Amino acid sequence: MKVAVLGYGTVGFGVVEMLKKAEGLEPGPVLVRPGKDDEPFKVTSMEAITEDPSVDVVAEVMGGVEPAFSYACAALKAGKHFVTSNKALVAAKGPELAKLAEENHVAFLFSAACGGGVPFLHNLSLAVQSDEILSVGGILNGTTNYMLDQMQSTGMSYADALSDAQKLGYAEADPTADVTGLDALRKIMLACAVAFEVLPVEGLLHEGIDSFSAADSSYIQSKGFACRLIASGGKAENGSVYAYVEPVLFDSSAAERSVLKNFNMAKYNGKNAGRIVMIGQGAGRWPTASAVLRDCSDICSGRRIMMKPSCKAGSADNSACVHRYLVRVPADVALPLPIKEKEAVGESCYLITDAVSVQAMHEAAKALRENGASVFFAAIGE
Ligand code: HSE
């Protein structure tokens, strides 16, 4: 099967190089920006791909919703299978693309959009065929895991850790989505869509690591904790779907602490299978390209569906999710939540809350920040 590639950046280059050596696959034309078509295999118009009968699969690795969405629609309508690593695209337009793929009898697969090289969505979409999925989630952003690992193991500053993650090709072109938790949120949205046939687009909550300081790192380590950014999704007892991202503190017994550098730890809990855990590189050229190639090989084997065409956009309900939190606020600021413990450190105060809802914690932090307060919070892992 010939695979056309949209985009020739970090991942696009990796995909083309891997296609040259892959069994049953070969590289086709590569779509680049006008002026960048300095080699014969590079094209600058999508028509050169949709009108090329030798192209079987279109692999999109450009990122962003537009023009990726228009290109995806054009590819599917032209009868080409469509594979993408673009979580922003699938989080915004997944159900539409799943329906369009079904109407045109072609595949729409996006394993590379969540977990980098980890075959998370691949395995999850197989598991849903025979098991009931209860929850999904884990460490789903390689950039922030790399940064947290560097800050906590070497004392590196936040700015240096981010700069390294960018140089290593882990971060998005604009790393805001990584450090604010939005990238991990998009990934948990996709996992919910695959697992529960609901793409939650409202009621979502995300807190990243952009408030985590070197002082916070020292404080939590002095208490025996390490911090990881965790995405959580699942089905509540009333049938609603929950989905949120926030920093979580783990004690020395937690497996999450062994997840270092750009690695991800993706999990699902099946009613029959129980807890399944997958660990691997969650970002970077070769891990992500390997996931794109895996989807292409899956198409060769006859796989067509990752998100069911019946999947609908819906709301998340995080009101029943409850944790205790460690919160850092300025010493003269009161946190409007039930407090169990309090310790002043310089001009800050570290608090431990009673069990409170995720919703209440995120809203309290938002209100304090709107009043100019610097706040860090993390759930205490159970
Ligand atoms: N910026 C993303 C991450 C790339 O760091 O996880 C892989 O999705």
Side-chain angles (χ1 to χ4, degrees):
M1 283 202 324
K2 192 180 270 189
V3 183
V5 181
L6 311 185
Y8 200 54
T10 303
V11 179
F13 177 85
V15 169
V16 173
E17 291 307 302
M18 282 191 72
L19 283 168
K20 289 177 185 166
K21 299 174 206 144
E23 206 180 298
L25 301 170
E26 57 173 310
V30 177
L31 184 72
V32 295
R33 286 199 198 95
K36 301 273 180 188
D37 51 335
D38 50 358
E39 289 172 277
F41 67 90
K42 296 177 184 169
V43 298
T44 55
S45 89
M46 189 59 193
E47 289 73 33
I49 290 172
T50 51
E51 290 170 10
D52 181 344
S54 72
V55 170
D56 304 289
V57 182
V58 172
E60 184 269 315
V61 291
M62 309 160 49
V65 178
E66 279 296 352
F69 178 60
S70 301
Y71 293 164
C73 293
L76 293 168
K77 285 178 184 163
K80 316 287 187 198
H81 302 295
F82 183 70
V83 168
T84 181
S85 64
N86 185 341
K87 50 250 154 172
L89 170 67
V90 185
K93 302 286 186 184
E96 275 174 72
L97 294 175
K99 278 194 199 78
L100 201 53
E102 186 192 38
E103 282 162 21
N104 289 283
H105 313 288
V106 287
F108 167 43
L109 303 181
F110 48 90
S111 182
C114 178
V118 181
F120 180 44
L121 295 184
H122 170 91
N123 283 322
L124 189 60
S125 63
L126 289 177
V128 294
Q129 294 174 16
S130 53
D131 203 353
E132 182 187 343
I133 307 302
L134 304 173
S135 64
V136 290
I139 299 170
L140 298 182
N141 182 270
T143 300
T144 47
N145 203 64
Y146 176 86
M147 291 173 66
L148 288 170
D149 180 26
Q150 293 297 306
M151 288 174 74
Q152 293 171 101
S153 62
T154 71
M156 191 182 271
S157 72
Y158 178 93
D160 287 349
L162 176 56
S163 163
D164 274 10
Q166 288 177 296
K167 282 186 206 135
L168 289 162
Y170 303 152
E172 301 300 306
D174 172 0
T176 310
D178 292 300
V179 297
T180 60
L182 180 59
D183 179 83
L185 186 75
R186 287 177 176 143
K187 290 167 177 168
I188 202 69
M189 290 164 70
L190 303 197
C192 286
V194 171
F196 312 123
E197 287 182 50
V198 176
L199 176 75
V201 294
E202 284 166 15
L204 300 157
L205 296 168
H206 67 99
E207 171 75 10
I209 64 159
D210 43 342
S211 301
F212 185 63
S213 65
D216 296 327
S217 176
S218 302
Y219 182 79
I220 63 163
Q221 287 186 73
S222 75
K223 302 291 173 190
F225 288 123
C227 182
R228 296 287 182 271
L229 187 67
I230 301 293
S232 302
K235 222 166 188 179
E237 277 170 17
N238 65 7
S240 64
V241 167
Y242 61 87
Y244 59 92
V245 174
E246 61 188 13
V248 178
L249 304 183
F250 292 100
D251 68 20
S252 57
S253 65
E256 280 79 358
R257 285 181 72 143
S258 65
V259 182
L260 306 175
K261 300 190 175 164
N262 62 328
F263 277 60
N264 280 190
M265 175 193 258
K267 304 196 259 191
Y268 69 81
N269 190 10
K271 191 170 180 184
N272 298 295
R275 213 165 276 279
I276 304 290
V277 182
M278 289 161 262
I279 299 178
Q281 290 188 75
R285 166 176 285 161
W286 301 111
T288 310
S290 79
V292 173
L293 270 278
R294 188 170 51 229
D295 278 353
C296 294
S297 297
D298 264 356
I299 293 171
C300 289
S301 315
R303 283 202 78 197
R304 298 288 179 263
I305 295 172
M306 187 160 265
M307 181 186 293
K308 291 191 183 147
S310 50
C311 179
K312 297 216 168 12
S315 283
D317 178 359
N318 294 312
S319 58
C321 303
V322 166
H323 304 290
R324 290 186 306 133
Y325 286 90
L326 176 126
V327 189
R328 189 243 309 138
V329 292
D332 58 352
V333 165
L335 179 72
L337 292 173
I339 307 300
K340 262 257 195 285
E341 292 171 35
K342 192 170 179 176
E343 186 178 354
V345 179
E347 293 182 354
S348 297
C349 193
Y350 287 93
L351 312 163
I352 305 272
T353 70
D354 263 334
V356 298
S357 75
V358 172
Q359 184 101 17
M361 181 65 245
H362 284 241
E363 278 170 8
K366 186 168 176 237
L368 293 182
R369 286 171 180 155
E370 279 167 4
N371 286 328
S374 164
V375 179
F376 165 72
F377 71 88
I380 299 177
E382 308 294 345

